[in-house]
Amino acid sequence: MKIENAIILAAGRGTRIMPISKGIPKPMIKINGQSLIERGIINVKKKIKNLYVTVGYKSVKLSAHIITKGVTAIFNTEGKGNSWWLYNSLITNLDKPLLVLTCDNLFKLNYSFIISEYLRLKSPACLIFPVNPVKNCEGDFIFAKNNKVNFLRRNKKSNLYASGIQVINPKKINKLTSPTNSFNKVWKQLIKKNKLFVSNVYPGRWFAIDNLDNLREMKKNKSLKNYFFKK
């Protein structure tokens, strides 16, 4: 099978990366001459036909930056949460797998691994792809058994860390959950129904630009920078 649809979430305000994000939205931050969102679009478009992007903070500026990059549609979610589009957009009733990414989580797209894990776990409504924990990157730790998530925690550590990579089926999620503006609340509803799955650990390098320290590390670490961004 093929995954023909993907979405990059790029609507956040980027408060932890102020004052840089005061002038430009976080997805437009450039490294090696390439913006975060441009890198994400190029990464996805190599493998996936339809690509959607959510914008919010400084939406006009960000939309102008990506409008010529080959995206299928742009969803303005300003003032909404990160899962609002899942219940209120043209892909709400999509009954196919949708790859969900965030613009500030960096990895090389291992398309064959994503598809094989999705099929191995029988095409669930929501499949989270974890990575090994990375120092100074904040996020959710995953606790699971037999690839089913029991709970997510930020203040308790495990050997699985939510990478920001998911494959979801929007139509299935709409049947299983009540509309909410937060993916965390989507996941909690799915956990209660034993319907949130986690794959095996995503192979390859992974890094997140969540705050100024992450950005500084990326810019000063030549091997890290050149691994993720074109020279």
Side-chain angles (χ1 to χ4, degrees):
M1 72 168 292
K2 288 184 178 181
I3 297 177
E4 297 181 334
N5 299 277
I7 187 167
I8 299 176
L9 310 185
R13 188 171 176 82
T15 54
R16 287 189 291 269
I17 213 157
M18 287 286 189
I20 294 172
S21 57
K22 187 175 181 180
I24 59 170
K26 182 179 178 180
M28 287 179 63
I29 291 173
K30 286 190 176 182
I31 298 171
N32 269 13
Q34 187 180 49
S35 68
L36 292 176
I37 188 64
E38 183 182 9
R39 181 208 171 273
I41 291 170
I42 291 170
N43 196 22
V44 171
K45 289 294 287 182
K46 289 176 183 177
K47 296 288 185 180
I48 296 176
K49 179 182 178 183
N50 303 312
L51 175 59
Y52 308 92
V53 178
T54 67
V55 299
Y57 177 63
K58 294 190 179 291
S59 59
V60 174
K61 185 174 283 190
L62 181 54
S63 295
H65 179 64
I66 65 175
I67 196 69
T68 61
K69 307 295 183 186
V71 299
T72 305
I74 298 171
F75 301 148
N76 191 335
T77 63
E78 188 170 4
K80 313 294 184 183
N82 61 9
S83 70
W84 178 86
W85 58 271
L86 181 54
Y87 303 95
N88 300 279
S89 74
L90 61 86
I91 53 178
T92 294
N93 293 311
L94 183 69
D95 193 15
K96 294 180 180 180
L98 172 74
L99 178 64
V100 181
L101 309 169
T102 60
C103 72
D104 52 2
N105 287 348
L106 307 177
F107 58 93
K108 290 192 175 180
L109 186 61
N110 191 320
Y111 190 73
S112 60
F113 175 78
I114 289 172
I115 291 174
S116 64
E117 284 294 276
Y118 184 69
L119 291 176
R120 180 178 72 86
L121 295 168
K122 305 188 187 308
S123 306
C126 184
L127 175 60
I128 296 174
F129 289 82
V131 292
N132 294 315
V134 175
K135 187 178 178 182
N136 296 326
C137 290
E138 297 180 5
D140 295 303
F141 290 95
I142 303 167
F143 295 82
K145 185 176 181 180
N146 297 326
N147 294 106
K148 288 189 177 182
V149 178
N150 297 319
F151 56 91
L152 302 164
R153 293 286 187 273
R154 289 211 167 193
N155 55 0
K156 185 178 180 181
K157 294 183 178 181
S158 75
N159 63 343
L160 296 177
Y161 186 84
S163 65
I165 309 167
Q166 303 178 68
V167 173
I168 68 171
N169 180 302
K171 189 170 184 176
K172 287 181 182 178
I173 289 184
N174 272 269
K175 286 182 178 180
L176 289 167
T177 66
S178 299
T180 175
N181 279 348
S182 164
F183 253 110
N184 193 269
K185 291 179 180 178
V186 173
W187 294 333
K188 284 180 178 178
Q189 290 184 69
L190 292 173
I191 288 171
K192 284 183 179 179
K193 296 185 177 183
N194 212 24
K195 294 291 186 180
L196 183 60
F197 287 76
V198 60
S199 76
N200 289 335
V201 174
Y202 192 86
R205 223 163 169 183
W206 177 90
F207 193 77
I209 299 181
D210 185 61
N211 53 51
L212 285 172
D213 287 337
N214 298 149
L215 182 60
R216 291 187 192 106
E217 184 176 354
M218 173 60 69
K219 287 188 172 182
K220 76 179 182 181
N221 188 325
K222 232 177 224 190
S223 67
L224 193 63
K225 181 171 61 174
N226 292 336
Y227 181 81
F228 288 116
F229 293 88
K230 66 180 182 181
K231 298 178 183 180

